[in-house]
Amino acid sequence: MQDVSDASTQALPINQRRLANAIRVLAMDAVQKANSGHPGAPMGMADIAEVVWRKYLKHNPANPKWANRDRFVLSNGHGSMLIYALLHLTGYELSIEDLKNFRQLHSKTPGHPELGYTPGVETTTGPLGQGIANAVGFAIAEKTLAAQFNTADFEVIDHNTFCFLGDGCLMEGISHEVCSLAGTLKLGKLVAFYDDNGISIDGEVEGWFSDDTAARFESYGWHVQKIDGHSAKQIDAATEQALQISDKPSLIMCRTLIGAGSPNKQGSESSHGAPLGDDEITLTRDSIAWADEPFVIPEDIYEAWDAKVKGDVLEKNWDAEFAAYAAAEPEKAAELKRRLSGDLPSDFASEADAYIAQVQSDAPTIATRKASQNAITEFAPKLPQLLGGSADLAGSNLTLWPGAVGIQDDAAGNYVYYGVREFGMTGIANGIALHGGFIPYVATFLVFMEYAHNAVRMSALMRQHVIHVYTHDSIGLGEDGPTHQPIEQITALRLIPNLHTWRPCDATEAAVAWKCALVDQSRPHALIFSRQGLKVQARSAEQVAQIERGGYVLVEPNDIAVGIILATGSEVQLAVDAAAKLADSGVHVRVVSMPCTEKFLEQSSDYRESVLPSSLRVRVAVEAAETAYWYRFVGLDGAVVGMTTFGESAPAADLFEYFGITADAVVEAIKAQL
């Protein structure tokens, strides 16, 4: 591996070296001006990026959302100046002033790539490893969408996913989960470039990362190559070969120098996470023969990098192909356009409402996980963009439906068997949602949401339309014991901004939760379902309609209410029973079902006051989960009946009695406040 500052050993022709050096100077200048950031990765991967972006990446800077563009993911997101430099140089709406504002408040160049801030950034990549998970999701979406819509004459969906990643990504466990699945699914249009520089923030990684990475990926079923990451010839040849492999994802292991070009800091952790310093930057400029001032790029460099003309031609050619496709396959083309736009069928909401009314009328006593399966069975045929999946618990989560077809057997299917990969599954689902054309739903037991928590957070941070299905929602799952009984997880989900968390009390509320999760595409949704059977509550049509508001009055006493009982899920029936017992003793209370607290809190103050009048201070909340969250609704003088410890292994009924989550306990909690 050559020192890129040594002209005598340069592997790149001088023009390409200069083009790559434009990335290096922009990266080190921006980090220096911000006085924070990571110059090492952009400088080390500049030569790889030059080849991939100038020769292979299919994109249009004038339209970052062109449907058939290649997807580029910078999984080692701390190296964000790499992608910002690339976007600027190739002609996206990212000016030199934007680069000068690197890591500043409300700039288009935040410290890590953030979806929605920067044109051309496909996903938010901060936590290491999640970028490669998103990339696997992009590749699944491309392959499945292509299988569903392409014909023998037209390949209107045909693009690659390129992912840059580093040592840190490969150390993270999520990379094992998703790369294993990518190999099994034979995602031939996924190409990952590994920045194999042997350096992390703490120093040389050989003391804590000695994996045989090539053997690891070969065992996954990947095509693996090892190259000099500073040789344009080798990068070009390896990329070309990777794109010829149709039945395996590709890993190109690029041996590089972190901070390449810096005479005193390349190859060292000192270039990883801190500015090089003015003196070292001066030496670097001399070393790479770059005479221009900071943030000055010569016009000939800009001209060589500019991708706008090429991108315009690529998109216009595709538009022409799509027009021919639409003429030959009008129904397919119309459906594909609808899917890519994210629109639901115009009659979906009304049909969903009719189904909800029927469920209320039929009043089945079933577990809400079964009610969820029934809702999927009803809605999925109407929404072919649904792409379901479960982390090896389909028979328990009840996420399979009669029309489910696994994509491992049929690329045009609608279901992913994720295996025991909760974190990887969720990161992949984020990538599927980001790609477009699908609404992914993924499932596991609620307690194992913990494994996926950071990816759920990323769903919410990016406001991606992912539906997270969690079953076995409380100590009510019973004999599997405290390792499987969620206590704090519901609260953890409710505290994530932009996420709506639903815990329905019966089949009707479960159907409404699914409808809301499907219709509201502005955010992710968590749907939490029971293992045990729950009977449908009596409701008027008005009350059924109010479920969508997140909280509503389920039971209004015949006399003036002196208090309120709030509940969710299986505990709603317990609240109703407690209210009946109180009425028998002359104490009248209102019962409020609150399946989605976040949705309720978004309602008008008038509506919230109508449900929870401020004059009614006697309040008890009951939920078989941790108690602290509910004090925001009951006040410091109210009471919460719930869990303050972990669970135990026993039949569900015994556990509710043992932990004091009973109608009698709710009665006593109300009376204690009178």
Side-chain angles (χ1 to χ4, degrees), residues 255-310:
R255 193 65 178 166
T256 62
L257 278 169
I258 190 170
S262 169
N264 298 305
K265 295 188 175 183
Q266 66 181 11
S268 163
E269 67 270 19
S270 62
S271 68
H272 191 299
L276 297 182
D278 289 330
D279 291 345
E280 186 67 15
I281 286 176
T282 298
L283 292 173
T284 303
R285 276 184 151 78
D286 291 342
S287 175
I288 64 175
W290 192 276
D292 296 281
E293 296 296 309
F295 298 103
V296 174
I297 303 296
E299 280 304 313
D300 63 326
I301 299 293
Y302 274 127
E303 289 174 6
W305 270 105
D306 195 329
K308 294 192 294 293
V309 172
K310 180 181 177 182

Side-chain angles (χ1 to χ4, degrees), residues 477-518:
L477 79 88
E479 293 87 345
D480 279 339
T483 62
H484 283 54
Q485 293 166 5
I487 302 298
E488 72 278 22
Q489 285 71 26
I490 302 175
T491 292
L493 289 165
R494 287 172 176 151
L495 293 178
I496 298 175
N498 304 332
L499 177 69
H500 278 181
T501 299
W502 291 82
R503 187 173 182 241
C505 75
D506 60 14
T508 302
E509 286 192 355
V512 172
W514 263 107
K515 177 204 169 182
C516 290
L518 291 165

Side-chain angles (χ1 to χ4, degrees), residues 151-286:
T151 68
D153 297 321
F154 298 98
E155 293 188 355
V156 290
I157 302 298
D158 181 17
H159 50 265
N160 300 302
T161 300
F162 296 102
C163 181
F164 283 13
L165 69 163
D167 294 299
C169 294
L170 294 185
M171 286 185 242
E172 291 284 2
I174 190 173
S175 73
H176 296 258
E177 296 182 25
V178 303
C179 292
S180 169
L181 184 61
T184 299
L185 295 178
K186 304 181 185 304
L187 301 179
K189 290 185 176 180
L190 172 62
V191 183
F193 295 82
Y194 168 30
D195 184 25
D196 185 15
N197 59 37
I199 298 292
S200 68
I201 289 177
D202 282 352
E204 296 181 6
V205 302
E206 61 186 11
W208 50 87
F209 184 52
S210 59
D211 298 18
D212 186 338
T213 299
R216 170 186 157 189
F217 274 78
E218 287 169 349
S219 75
Y220 292 157
W222 286 55
H223 176 252
V224 179
Q225 302 173 76
K226 292 184 178 181
I227 65 169
D228 180 346
H230 299 297
S231 166
K233 184 177 180 180
Q234 291 187 36
I235 299 164
D236 187 8
T239 306
E240 184 71 37
Q241 185 177 359
L243 294 174
Q244 298 304 311
I245 305 295
S246 62
D247 61 346
K248 293 181 178 182
S250 287
L251 179 71
I252 302 175
M253 301 179 61
C254 307
R255 193 65 178 166
T256 62
L257 278 169
I258 190 170
S262 169
N264 298 305
K265 295 188 175 183
Q266 66 181 11
S268 163
E269 67 270 19
S270 62
S271 68
H272 191 299
L276 297 182
D278 289 330
D279 291 345
E280 186 67 15
I281 286 176
T282 298
L283 292 173
T284 303
R285 276 184 151 78
D286 291 342

